[in-house]
Each structure stands twice: as structure tokens, then as C-alpha cells.
Amino acid sequence: MPPGMSLDPVISCDLMGLMPPAFKTVAVVGKSDAPAVPPVLAQVVAVLRSRAVRVLMDPPTADASPAEADGVMPLEQLAAQADLAVVVGGDGTLLACARGMAAHGVPLVGINLGRLGFLADIAADQVSASLAAVLDGVCAREERLMLAGRLRRQGEEVLASHAMNDIVLSRAAIGTMIEFAVHIDGEFIYSLRADGIIAATPTGSTAYALSAGGPILHPGLSAIALVPISPHTLSNRPIALQSTSRIDIQLIRGQGARVNFDSHANEALEPGDVVGIACAAKPAVLLHPPGYRYFSMLRGKLRWNERHS
Amino acid sequence: MPPGMSLDPVISCDLMGLMPPAFKTVAVVGKSDAPAVPPVLAQVVAVLRSRAVRVLMDPPTADASPAEADGVMPLEQLAAQADLAVVVGGDGTLLACARGMAAHGVPLVGINLGRLGFLADIAADQVSASLAAVLDGVCAREERLMLAGRLRRQGEEVLASHAMNDIVLSRAAIGTMIEFAVHIDGEFIYSLRADGIIAATPTGSTAYALSAGGPILHPGLSAIALVPISPHTLSNRPIALQSTSRIDIQLIRGQGARVNFDSHANEALEPGDVVGIACAAKPAVLLHPPGYRYFSMLRGKLRWNERHS
Amino acid sequence: MPPGMSLDPVISCDLMGLMPPAFKTVAVVGKSDAPAVPPVLAQVVAVLRSRAVRVLMDPPTADASPAEADGVMPLEQLAAQADLAVVVGGDGTLLACARGMAAHGVPLVGINLGRLGFLADIAADQVSASLAAVLDGVCAREERLMLAGRLRRQGEEVLASHAMNDIVLSRAAIGTMIEFAVHIDGEFIYSLRADGIIAATPTGSTAYALSAGGPILHPGLSAIALVPISPHTLSNRPIALQSTSRIDIQLIRGQGARVNFDSHANEALEPGDVVGIACAAKPAVLLHPPGYRYFSMLRGKLRWNERHS
Amino acid sequence: MPPGMSLDPVISCDLMGLMPPAFKTVAVVGKSDAPAVPPVLAQVVAVLRSRAVRVLMDPPTADASPAEADGVMPLEQLAAQADLAVVVGGDGTLLACARGMAAHGVPLVGINLGRLGFLADIAADQVSASLAAVLDGVCAREERLMLAGRLRRQGEEVLASHAMNDIVLSRAAIGTMIEFAVHIDGEFIYSLRADGIIAATPTGSTAYALSAGGPILHPGLSAIALVPISPHTLSNRPIALQSTSRIDIQLIRGQGARVNFDSHANEALEPGDVVGIACAAKPAVLLHPPGYRYFSMLRGKLRWNERHS
């Protein structure tokens, strides 16, 4: 590691080791339908090729990529084989990819096509330099807590999914509100009438949960935020819990209510259904190029440097 | 009017006149399926009979009532014939009834079966005394602004309805958010990504809009509150507008979005649809028994006399 | 008035009449210590001189101005003699000037030296064109509600002042909170433990009150917002009242508490003191150059066009 | 420990061991001027005497107590000698006592004279049974994070104090706002104009920080909440940080600003002053009688079982 390199002292990050890490097989995944993607994919592959790395892609990325891959396979298989995933797109693309990669401990690097995201923090015009740095191990490694959710109906598991941002129970457009009961580690907390409730990771705390009035949880804090959405009881304020907490949310009433995981997987809920939420066994691992600062990114995204008066 | 009677000096209220008002035909409407309703209906009818008033009911109320009516007809016809409507149920029952009565200028009195509501403010055990006072004109008359909403699709009106509480555009349970553009009096205000948006009357300002972070609007204030629900832009705060404002909300994106009026009438929205909102031509008229105080009621409902620490 | 001129249809505004208004005597007031002020004052005077208008200044402005005035006198006398006040500075300067001018019905035009303010909406580089338009009567006239506050101690008036933004009761840095009782039109509303309470005009609703969680009140809405600051009771939410309301706030407890008016006049409070707040007899009058739009200005100031995700 | 005893499974709690802990010397501290205190002190001493425990008091408590102590000494000496502190009063009394006891690792039991507090959770009429259970080791032990704050002026330490609830920087009543810069672990986070800022422990998260819009932090979560008070930038939302964070808040502007620690110690701030905040070396230790549940207590205090509509 070159002297003077600046690694974020705030987030929990480790160097990859003094010896460059052995990234021998790298998965490249791109948001396939964005017109800006192909040239960036070409750049990514060029950097990887210059280091004799084996390049894998999922089918849609392979279709969009001007440069050929050494192997094409579904995302699940990529996760099993790769040492690193390079994601080209935005926060949404990285989020979708992270759910698969986290279970196999594959670290992710995100390249953003538009303005920088919360997660995908390499700008498209910095691909060569920043990706090279990451491949050399000159980067910060950051673990991001994942949630594991299970929907149980009459004692049987109906759906299980991981979430990097949040697990959300919400009412239908047609209904007025839903009622649910929350237990934490088996203890009854409250029953709540509301538009819904969000269980958010620190990563998700700056997404939907922030709009609903939740706090920002620093990614280094091992916590889960429980944020009610438009609760009927005004004192039902957001709560931050230890990540070891087991949260059970049971639907009491609410026709058309649904649960969703990172807005991708979702399922209709029936009264009596229980959504169990806990920290996933493995976190997602993000690699950031030198110079990454969580708060600096947040300051820019939330325009903390500006005032309304 | 007896000397010393206490009428609320805060809300805009007029005495009914020195001569008792001529309530010759009174509509009685009850939430038909509540077991507590029949005995209260019997009491209400007894008070009315003792004054030689003609008693009308809608069919479900007539079915539930132990005392017979002088006429049974649908709600719309009741509104056309009655001088007064006595509503037995709760705030929801009164709300539903008010939409029909307001257009004909029929004042309403609400009798609450459970704990007192925001609107139905005569307790079941006070029926005889309080209703007698109202019939004698010893009461406060309060006008409550109503909203008139119209859903237009490709230039054609799809749905029109009044609302006493609110008109709400909201996302589906399955979607993540909706995007819409708001114009006021033809001027573009903002385009917003959110869970939805609420246009609330002062009456509705203490209902759903309050849960979503809106202000309390005093019923005497002729205003409409525009309250975004979980907006993506944190500076999108609730706005209170003059009641003469014409509000147009156009759906830009949002599969499964719907509009509802007081949570009763509702309709699916398609991109491009416009919901036009304005103050209705006629307000709802509530008659309150002596001693009614808006803030006193609010203080009790919101437990302003208690602290968390 | 030239055809096609665009006047804001939202705010309550009247043309100055088909004949150009007779602005014969114009007060020019500038924030005296800002280095950018003198050249702008020179421009303002040049525009006025070209129309044979009598130019008056207060002493600090006369000192800062490169161009001479026809008369120099204190602000109070300016208000008595002028037909129009041109204010060079920012929102704070205009606010201070408006308190004096409003009582005499003198309309104000604000020229902003930095980025546009909520009130001072002529950019420094638009002075010639915009000011000329206003002098020609090509402008929108907008009335802004003012508050009149009186501090009474043991039945005697200790202080009286007007406020264009807000009247604020707040705790000392050293204390923990204050307790006060609020009456509206003589009716007890609540007693509250909090950091303080704000009574804000629509103009002030986008200033301090917004930071404290208050709603935005459209300037055309004749209302006063009552916004508690960090209340101990979570259900003590902001309330919007009719502008005809008389608000009395009595300090119950709170060593070191003070009241301030637009952050300018202020006074220590003793337990038992009552701050009486009502709408002032005369509004402030703002003249806006063609093209002014309240919501367009607000959209820019609050960055409604941006999202955090 | 008797079989079937119910200990709170949520909070991080350890049994005192199978053998009753050796509470040989117990400090008794009471809010001396409350008239309800003496009889409760008598009961407390009676329970302690029946177990041959040495009873110590601070001078004000000894003055108020009908029963004599075995030793009377200042609070600091009590902390050095006692194995346990029994605090009679309310949350405020326990808070004041905890700051001294925590540094010596002395656990605390709180007896509440009024309605139950967040911290003092033994009702006055349960003293005998509950205190006996605690002395027998039938209780839950809970650690509560403490903050250590230091005020530095031109490189020198001016004041240092611990806080169990919060460390607060706030503006004077007379000023309008203060401006300060926040660094976390040496990284610049933001500069903020606001009424102030609160650094709160989980214990303090349900006190002042909750009024200012902060989240509830579960006491088992090792975190510090940073809550801005009425910030000028609407996106400056509360942040929850790891308890290992070092927070530095520097006053940039703000005449009359002060810092306070649990509202007890406080000091005027000068521009340039830095308040450094970190987790204290030792937590406060609370002993709860059987049946204590954090969320059950919170549910009652915040009236989560009630709705406004």
C-alpha cells in the first residue's frame, strides 16, 4: 500500500492485506438496458484483461457488453465462482446484485452511470483508475448488514428473502390503513395502525426509511431501524434496535397489505401472517476506492451545506 | 336562548335565532350493524316524537330501529326532505352522511356510541338532554369546509365526489412510490416522488393528514392542507392554501396508484390522469350541544395534558 | 400595462391601476455595512432620478450612498413621507424596514445582493429593468399579514412591537425548558412544556417556524401558525389559526425565558407575563417585478426539484 | 434463583449469580425536599436493616430520614464505599446519582415517588417486596451507556463531565441561532445553523432528544444519537452513531451559547470552543426488580396503546 493513502477512518474498514488480494475471477454485472452501459462495460473488461483476470457475466450483461466474457452464467452461479463483483449501473443494480453475492462473501464494487449513488461510488469517468486501485487492494473494505426475512402463514414459511435496504409491510392503495402487532425477541412491543412499517438496515436508513421520518444509522452501527409509516398514534416514533434482535410483525387487519424486500420480492399478506426479521448471517461487502468517506458522500447527497433561509 | 348559555367563542358559530328553528322533518341515520345502535335510536325517536317532528330513516336504519319511522327512503331523498339529520354511530358514520346532507344544506348532529369523536360529540347517555337542546335551537352552528374532487382522464371526467376529510392519491402496496405533478391555480408547484399526497380540509387535518405530518387547521380557517406522504425530497413540507385554490394533481408514474375520497369512493389512476380539487360550493353544517369547545375536544383526543417525560 | 405581462395569479395581487402610480417620494434604505451596497444604491438613485422622483434616505444609507439624497431622516420619518420604499440588502433588511413602513401603508420593493431571498426578489443585476417596471406600475402588489404583539406584566404593557415573520417565546440556554399556557380568544388551549413556541405569519412560516416543524402557509392565506419548539408532549403539533384569533401565551415557569419579535426587539419574561398576539391592523405591502411567482421562488429555495434518493 | 422467574429477555441483562450478591454496604439517597420521601426512606432502611446491611447516606438524605444511617458522607465518598445505591425520588434524582456511582461501578436501584419513571421503576408501595428481591439477587442487571464530555478552549480543558442522558449545545434565548461544525473521528461532517444539537445516549433518547425529533435507541444498542435542534437545513436529520465514535462540536458563531450535561453542569461557550464527546469508560448499572420490561415501560409512558383517531 502506498504511503499516505487515505482510508476512511470512520467506517469499519480493513485493508485487503499488504499483498494485493487474489482477484482471479471477477463477475461483471450491468444494468442491461441503459444505453450508457456498454462503453463502461468495455472499459471495465479492459482493466480486468490487463491483469489477466477471468471475466464472468450474467446473460443480460453479456448481451450488452461489446467485450466478450470468459464465461456466461446466471447470477447465482456467478456468486459461487467469483472473487469480486463489479456492478455497473446505480444503487438499485448494486442492491439487487448484493443480495446474491453477500451469501457467498463476494465483495462488490459499484460503478455509477449517473450522479454518484449512496452505494455505487465510482464515477463512470474514473473507472480505469479507481478499478485498478481496487484490484491492487488499495481500497477500503466495508461490511454492510443485511436483513433476512421470512413470511410465515399458519406455521409454514411462504417466502424467505434477504434485503440490503429494508423489509416493508404496507397497506394497499385502496385500503385506509393496516393494523399489526410487533414483537421483539418474543416480547410484545405494540400494536399499531398505520400505513405500514419499515425494518431498515443502516444502508436502507437513507432510502425509504428516511422519507418516512427515520433516523440515519451510520453503516458502522450494527442496528436495525423500525420506522412506522404514518402511524395513527403520534408517539409511535422510530426505534433503533440491536442487530441481534428478532423482530416479528404480525398482520392483524388490512385487506390488500403486502410485504416487500428491497422493493423486489413481495407477497400479499393475510391476517395472521407473521413476517420474521433478523440480521442475515453474512453481511454484504463493499470495496470503496481510496478517498471514500461516508459522511462526505451523505453531505453531498443531502445537501447539508445548504440552508432554506 | 337562556341567559348564561355558553357557546364556543372560537369557532365560527351563529345562534339558530331567538325563535327555536323549525325542525319539522328530521332524518335519523344509524350505523346499522352496531349492537349498541337500536336502544339509542329508540331514545332519539322518543325525543323527536315528543316534539311532533316527522321522522325519516334510510332502510338499514329503519331495519335496526325498534321505533318506527314516518317514512323510509334512500339517503339521497332524506337529504332532500329533512331539515336536520341525527346521526348515530361515530365519526365515520357522520362523515358518510355529511357528504349527502351538505349539498342540501341539512345540518347534522352526531351521537357517538363509543368514546367521543372529533365530529360526533353527543355521548350516548346524553342523548335526551343534548338532542332536546339542539331541537330548541340552544346549540352552536358550525360550518365545515368540504372538498369537491374530479378525476379527469384524457379530458373526460371519470369520477366526481365530495370529501369532508380528505382526497388522497396513494401508491399501491406493491409499488415503491408514485410520481405526480402539482399545479395550483394553473401554476406548476412541484413534481414529487412519494407514497402519495393528501388534500385535507380542517376537519381532515386531525385525521390521516395528521399521521402523515400535516398541521392542525382550525375549523374556522378556510384552508386546504396539502400534505405529501413520505416524500423523497425532505424539504417537501406540508402547505396550507386558501380554500379558493384550485389544485390539480397529475399522476406521472405509479402502477396501481389510486385516488380516494374520505376513504369511501376510490378509483384506479392511470399515468396522465388529473385529480382536480377545490372547495365544494356548500359546507357541511354541524350543530353542537351547549358546551362544545373545539380545543377542549382536541386536548382530550390528543392528550395534550400528558408528557412523555 | 403592456399586453402579455405575466402577473402571479396565485397570490392576492392587484395591478397598481392602468395609470402609472404616482411614486413621487421614494425612500431608499440599504444595509449600510455591506461592501456591495454602494454601487447598487447608485443604480437605484439613477433610476429614480431619471423619473424626477424625490429621493429620501435614512442616515446610514446616506453615508453609504455615492449618490446624494434629497432628504435624510430617520426611518420613522421616511415611513411618514414616502410613497414607496426601495430596500437594498436581503430578507433581513427588508423585514426590519417593513415593520416601519407597514403602519403607514408604504409599499416595499426589495433588492437582493446575494442569492434571491424569500422577500427581496430583485437581483442586483436586474435593478434598472425591474425597478423601472415597478415605478411604471408594472408589478404585482402583495399584502403580507403582520403580527402585533404586546407583553403584559401584572396588567401593564411592558413592550409592544410588530413582527412580519414571527413572535417567539423561548427558553434560556441554561434552562431546560419553559412552561406556558396558551389561550385563544379567551379559551384555554393547553399548557405546554417545551423549548418555546412560535407564532408565525405566512411570511415567517418559511423561516424559523419551518425549522421547528411548522407548515408552509401560503401568503394569500390569512392565518397564523402556532408552532411549539421541541414540545415534551409529542402530540403537540403545529396549529394554523384564523388571522382574527387573539392568542395569549402566559409564562408559567422558565428562568431566563425571553420573547422576541422578528429576532429584533426582545425582552426577558417573568412568570405570569402574558404575550398577547393578534394580526396587526395593516399588512405590509410588497411590490414584485413582473414574473414573480411565490411557488417558483419557494421551489428554488427549498430545492424541491431534488431528491435524496 | 427461583424457577420460572421472569427476567427481561430484551435488554442485555445478567443474573447476579446463583448465590445472592454480597450487598454489604448500601448507599441510600433521596430527593431531600419532597414531602413523600421520609416515609419511603424509613421503609428502605427497614428492609436493609433486616438483612444486616450497613446503611450510608449523604447529608441531605440523612437530614430527611426518620431512620438513622450507619454513616453520613458526601455523594463522592458514598460511591467509593457502597456496593449498591438505592435512590428515592424520580428519574432526575437517579440521573444525578448515576453520574457519581457509574465511575465506581456501583449498581443503582430507583424508587419512584410519583408515577413510574423511565429509570426509577420501583413504585413506592412496592418498596419492601421489590427491594428485597433485588437484595436477594433476583433482579435484572442492565448497563446503560454514559457519555464523557470535555469542553476545550484554545487547547485547554475548561470543563469535563459525564452525562447519562445527553450533552446539549444550545443557543441563548436572546440570539436567533448558533452555528457549529461537527467532526466525527476527525472527519468533518457538516456545519450547521440551528437552535442547538444534542448528543444523546439510549437512556437520553426518550428524554429531550425525543422532543427534538430524535429516534428511540434501545438501551441494549451501543449507540449515540446526534440530534440537531430546529436545524436551518431541513435535511439535517438525526444520526445514530457507534458508541466508539469521538464527536467534536465546535462553536463557530452564537453569542450566549452554552453547553450542558444532563441539564446539571453547564458552561458558556465562546466561538472556537470545542465540546468533545465520547462514550464514558464505565456504564451506569441499573438493577431492575423481576418483571421489568423496557418496552412495556415505554408503551405505558408513550401511550402507544392509544390513537388520535
Side-chain angles (χ1 to χ4, degrees):
Chain A
M1 176 181 149
M5 212 209 78
S6 159
L7 288 178
D8 189 334
V10 175
I11 56 170
S12 148
C13 66
D14 302 315
L15 294 182
M16 298 297 295
L18 288 178
M19 294 295 292
F23 290 136
K24 292 189 177 146
T25 304
V26 174
V28 178
V29 181
K31 193 184 173 185
S32 57
D33 56 347
V37 163
V40 177
L41 288 176
Q43 275 189 73
V44 167
V45 173
V47 174
L48 295 173
R49 289 277 178 241
S50 71
R51 276 150 207 266
V53 163
R54 189 166 162 243
V55 176
L56 303 182
M57 295 180 183
D58 64 334
T61 306
D63 284 353
S65 173
E68 223 165 313
D70 298 313
V72 178
M73 59 196 73
L75 216 51
E76 306 77 56
Q77 290 182 30
L78 288 183
Q81 297 199 18
D83 305 315
L84 174 70
V86 178
V87 183
V88 178
D91 282 355
T93 316
L94 193 137
L95 216 59
C97 200
R99 281 189 296 271
M101 298 296 163
H104 291 82
V106 182
L108 298 115
V109 170
I111 294 163
N112 212 313
L113 297 172
R115 61 173 188 147
L116 287 194
F118 283 99
L119 299 173
D121 58 355
I122 296 181
D125 59 5
Q126 300 291 321
V127 165
S128 300
S130 294
L131 188 54
V134 168
L135 292 170
D136 289 341
V138 181
C139 60
R141 182 181 189 277
E142 187 191 25
E143 297 192 349
R144 292 286 180 107
L145 185 153
M146 303 280 291
L147 294 178
R150 293 168 192 286
L151 169 57
R152 297 188 303 269
R153 179 171 300 150
Q154 298 179 325
E156 257 179 87
E157 187 171 304
V158 175
L159 177 69
S161 180
H162 283 195
M164 192 178 184
N165 265 349
D166 46 37
I167 298 178
V168 180
L169 280 83
S170 64
R171 67 173 178 86
I174 202 172
T176 50
M177 53 94 214
I178 59 177
E179 182 169 349
F180 43 82
V182 178
H183 286 75
I184 297 177
D185 293 321
E187 182 190 356
F188 171 71
I189 306 308
Y190 52 58
S191 70
L192 181 60
R193 288 164 117 184
D195 275 3
I197 190 166
I198 306 166
T201 64
T203 301
S205 73
T206 53
Y208 182 33
L210 193 61
S211 292
I216 296 167
L217 305 181
H218 188 277
L221 182 68
S222 204
I224 302 172
L226 210 51
V227 182
I229 310 170
S230 301
H232 279 224
T233 303
L234 299 179
S235 61
N236 261 301
R237 294 277 292 271
I239 304 174
L241 300 164
Q242 292 163 279
S243 62
T244 52
S245 306
R246 289 172 297 106
I247 304 165
D248 286 302
I249 308 177
Q250 181 167 41
L251 185 70
I252 306 295
R253 283 199 301 162
Q255 221 185 350
R258 298 189 81 93
V259 60
N260 76 63
F261 303 77
D262 279 352
S263 307
H264 83 294
N266 71 78
E267 185 72 32
L269 293 175
E270 298 176 5
D273 282 5
V274 176
V275 178
I277 299 167
C279 190
K282 292 196 181 177
V285 178
L286 302 180
L287 300 186
H288 298 290
Y292 170 77
R293 291 280 183 283
Y294 174 73
F295 279 118
S296 166
M297 178 273 297
L298 208 56
R299 189 166 59 241
K301 300 285 285 182
L302 296 183
R303 297 196 164 271
W304 280 343
N305 49 335
E306 296 180 7
R307 290 184 286 267
H308 71 265
S309 64
Chain B
M1 178 181 148
M5 212 210 77
S6 158
L7 287 178
D8 190 332
V10 175
I11 56 170
S12 149
C13 65
D14 302 314
L15 295 182
M16 298 298 294
L18 289 177
M19 295 296 292
F23 291 136
K24 294 191 174 144
T25 305
V26 174
V28 179
V29 181
K31 194 183 171 186
S32 58
D33 56 348
V37 163
V40 177
L41 288 176
Q43 274 189 73
V44 167
V45 172
V47 174
L48 295 173
R49 290 276 177 240
S50 71
R51 277 150 207 265
V53 163
R54 190 167 161 244
V55 177
L56 305 182
M57 294 181 183
D58 65 333
T61 306
D63 284 353
S65 172
E68 223 164 314
D70 298 313
V72 178
M73 59 195 75
L75 216 53
E76 306 79 55
Q77 291 181 31
L78 287 184
Q81 297 200 17
D83 305 315
L84 173 70
V86 178
V87 183
V88 177
D91 283 355
T93 315
L94 192 136
L95 217 59
C97 200
R99 281 189 297 271
M101 298 296 164
H104 290 82
V106 181
L108 297 114
V109 170
I111 295 162
N112 212 314
L113 297 172
R115 62 172 187 146
L116 287 192
F118 283 100
L119 299 173
D121 58 356
I122 296 181
D125 59 6
Q126 300 291 322
V127 164
S128 299
S130 293
L131 189 54
V134 168
L135 292 170
D136 289 339
V138 182
C139 61
R141 181 182 189 276
E142 187 190 25
E143 298 192 348
R144 292 287 181 106
L145 185 153
M146 303 279 290
L147 295 178
R150 292 166 193 288
L151 169 57
R152 296 188 303 269
R153 181 170 299 150
Q154 298 177 326
E156 258 178 85
E157 187 171 304
V158 176
L159 178 69
S161 181
H162 283 196
M164 191 177 184
N165 264 350
D166 46 37
I167 298 178
V168 180
L169 281 83
S170 65
R171 68 172 179 86
I174 202 172
T176 50
M177 51 97 214
I178 60 177
E179 182 169 349
F180 43 82
V182 178
H183 286 75
I184 297 177
D185 293 321
E187 183 190 355
F188 171 71
I189 306 308
Y190 53 57
S191 70
L192 180 60
R193 288 164 115 184
D195 274 5
I197 190 166
I198 305 167
T201 64
T203 301
S205 74
T206 53
Y208 183 31
L210 192 62
S211 293
I216 296 167
L217 305 181
H218 188 277
L221 182 68
S222 203
I224 302 173
L226 210 51
V227 182
I229 310 170
S230 301
H232 280 224
T233 303
L234 299 179
S235 60
N236 262 302
R237 296 277 292 271
I239 304 175
L241 299 164
Q242 294 164 276
S243 62
T244 52
S245 306
R246 288 171 298 107
I247 304 166
D248 286 301
I249 308 177
Q250 181 166 42
L251 184 70
I252 306 295
R253 282 199 302 160
Q255 222 184 350
R258 298 189 81 92
V259 61
N260 75 62
F261 303 76
D262 279 353
S263 306
H264 82 294
N266 71 80
E267 185 72 33
L269 293 175
E270 297 177 6
D273 282 5
V274 176
V275 178
I277 298 168
C279 190
K282 292 196 181 176
V285 178
L286 302 181
L287 301 186
H288 299 290
Y292 170 77
R293 291 280 183 283
Y294 174 72
F295 279 118
S296 167
M297 178 274 296
L298 208 56
R299 188 167 60 242
K301 299 284 284 183
L302 297 183
R303 297 196 164 271
W304 280 344
N305 50 335
E306 295 180 6
R307 291 184 285 269
H308 72 265
S309 65
Chain C
M1 176 181 150
M5 211 209 78
S6 159
L7 288 178
D8 190 334
V10 174
I11 56 171
S12 149
C13 64
D14 301 316
L15 294 182
M16 298 298 294
L18 290 177
M19 295 296 292
F23 291 136
K24 293 190 176 145
T25 305
V26 174
V28 178
V29 181
K31 194 184 170 184
S32 58
D33 56 348
V37 162
V40 177
L41 288 176
Q43 275 189 72
V44 167
V45 173
V47 174
L48 295 173
R49 289 277 177 241
S50 72
R51 276 152 207 265
V53 163
R54 189 166 162 245
V55 176
L56 305 181
M57 294 181 183
D58 65 333
T61 306
D63 284 353
S65 173
E68 224 164 313
D70 298 313
V72 177
M73 60 195 75
L75 215 52
E76 307 78 55
Q77 291 181 31
L78 287 184
Q81 298 199 16
D83 306 316
L84 174 70
V86 178
V87 183
V88 177
D91 282 355
T93 315
L94 193 137
L95 216 60
C97 199
R99 280 188 297 270
M101 298 295 164
H104 291 81
V106 181
L108 298 115
V109 170
I111 294 163
N112 212 311
L113 297 172
R115 62 172 188 145
L116 287 193
F118 283 100
L119 299 174
D121 58 355
I122 296 182
D125 59 5
Q126 300 290 321
V127 164
S128 300
S130 293
L131 188 54
V134 168
L135 292 171
D136 290 340
V138 181
C139 61
R141 181 181 189 277
E142 187 191 23
E143 298 192 347
R144 292 286 180 106
L145 186 154
M146 303 279 290
L147 294 178
R150 292 166 193 286
L151 168 57
R152 297 189 302 269
R153 180 170 300 150
Q154 298 178 324
E156 258 179 85
E157 187 171 305
V158 176
L159 177 70
S161 180
H162 283 197
M164 192 178 185
N165 264 349
D166 46 36
I167 298 177
V168 180
L169 281 83
S170 65
R171 68 171 178 86
I174 203 172
T176 50
M177 51 97 214
I178 60 177
E179 184 169 348
F180 42 81
V182 178
H183 285 75
I184 297 178
D185 294 321
E187 183 190 355
F188 171 71
I189 306 308
Y190 53 57
S191 70
L192 180 60
R193 289 164 113 182
D195 275 4
I197 190 166
I198 306 166
T201 64
T203 301
S205 74
T206 53
Y208 182 32
L210 193 61
S211 292
I216 296 168
L217 304 182
H218 188 278
L221 182 68
S222 204
I224 302 172
L226 211 52
V227 182
I229 310 170
S230 300
H232 279 224
T233 303
L234 298 179
S235 61
N236 262 302
R237 295 278 291 271
I239 304 175
L241 299 165
Q242 292 163 277
S243 62
T244 51
S245 305
R246 289 172 295 107
I247 305 165
D248 287 301
I249 308 177
Q250 180 166 42
L251 185 70
I252 307 295
R253 282 199 302 160
Q255 221 184 352
R258 298 190 81 93
V259 60
N260 75 62
F261 303 76
D262 280 352
S263 307
H264 81 294
N266 71 78
E267 185 73 32
L269 293 175
E270 297 177 6
D273 282 5
V274 176
V275 178
I277 298 168
C279 191
K282 292 195 181 179
V285 178
L286 302 180
L287 300 186
H288 300 290
Y292 170 78
R293 290 279 183 285
Y294 174 73
F295 279 118
S296 167
M297 178 274 296
L298 207 56
R299 189 168 59 242
K301 299 285 285 181
L302 296 183
R303 298 197 164 270
W304 280 345
N305 50 334
E306 295 181 7
R307 291 183 285 269
H308 72 266
S309 64
Chain D
M1 177 181 148
M5 211 208 79
S6 160
L7 287 178
D8 189 335
V10 175
I11 55 169
S12 149
C13 64
D14 302 314
L15 294 183
M16 298 298 294
L18 290 177
M19 295 296 292
F23 292 135
K24 293 189 176 146
T25 304
V26 174
V28 178
V29 181
K31 194 184 172 184
S32 58
D33 56 348
V37 162
V40 178
L41 288 176
Q43 275 189 73
V44 167
V45 172
V47 174
L48 295 173
R49 290 275 178 243
S50 72
R51 278 152 206 265
V53 164
R54 189 167 162 244
V55 176
L56 304 181
M57 295 181 183
D58 64 334
T61 307
D63 284 353
S65 173
E68 222 164 315
D70 298 313
V72 177
M73 59 196 74
L75 216 52
E76 307 78 56
Q77 290 181 33
L78 288 183
Q81 297 199 18
D83 305 316
L84 174 70
V86 178
V87 183
V88 177
D91 282 355
T93 315
L94 193 138
L95 216 59
C97 199
R99 280 189 297 270
M101 298 296 164
H104 290 83
V106 181
L108 298 115
V109 170
I111 295 163
N112 212 313
L113 297 173
R115 62 172 187 146
L116 286 193
F118 283 99
L119 299 173
D121 59 355
I122 296 181
D125 59 5
Q126 300 290 321
V127 164
S128 300
S130 293
L131 188 55
V134 168
L135 292 171
D136 289 341
V138 181
C139 61
R141 182 183 189 274
E142 188 191 24
E143 297 192 346
R144 292 286 180 107
L145 186 153
M146 302 279 291
L147 294 178
R150 293 166 193 286
L151 169 56
R152 298 189 302 269
R153 179 170 301 149
Q154 299 178 324
E156 257 178 86
E157 187 171 305
V158 175
L159 177 69
S161 180
H162 283 195
M164 192 179 185
N165 265 349
D166 47 36
I167 298 178
V168 180
L169 281 83
S170 64
R171 68 173 178 85
I174 202 171
T176 50
M177 53 96 212
I178 59 176
E179 183 169 348
F180 43 82
V182 178
H183 286 75
I184 297 177
D185 293 322
E187 183 190 354
F188 171 72
I189 306 308
Y190 53 56
S191 71
L192 181 59
R193 289 165 115 184
D195 275 4
I197 190 166
I198 306 166
T201 64
T203 301
S205 74
T206 52
Y208 182 32
L210 192 61
S211 291
I216 296 167
L217 304 181
H218 188 278
L221 182 67
S222 203
I224 302 173
L226 211 52
V227 182
I229 309 170
S230 301
H232 279 224
T233 303
L234 299 179
S235 61
N236 262 301
R237 294 277 291 271
I239 304 175
L241 300 165
Q242 293 164 277
S243 62
T244 52
S245 306
R246 289 172 296 109
I247 304 165
D248 287 301
I249 308 177
Q250 181 167 40
L251 184 71
I252 306 295
R253 283 199 300 162
Q255 222 185 349
R258 298 189 82 92
V259 60
N260 75 63
F261 303 76
D262 279 352
S263 307
H264 82 295
N266 72 78
E267 186 72 32
L269 293 175
E270 298 177 6
D273 282 5
V274 176
V275 178
I277 299 167
C279 190
K282 292 195 181 177
V285 178
L286 302 179
L287 300 187
H288 299 290
Y292 170 76
R293 291 280 183 283
Y294 174 72
F295 280 117
S296 166
M297 177 273 296
L298 207 56
R299 190 167 57 242
K301 300 284 283 182
L302 297 183
R303 298 196 164 270
W304 280 344
N305 50 333
E306 295 180 7
R307 289 183 287 270
H308 72 264
S309 64

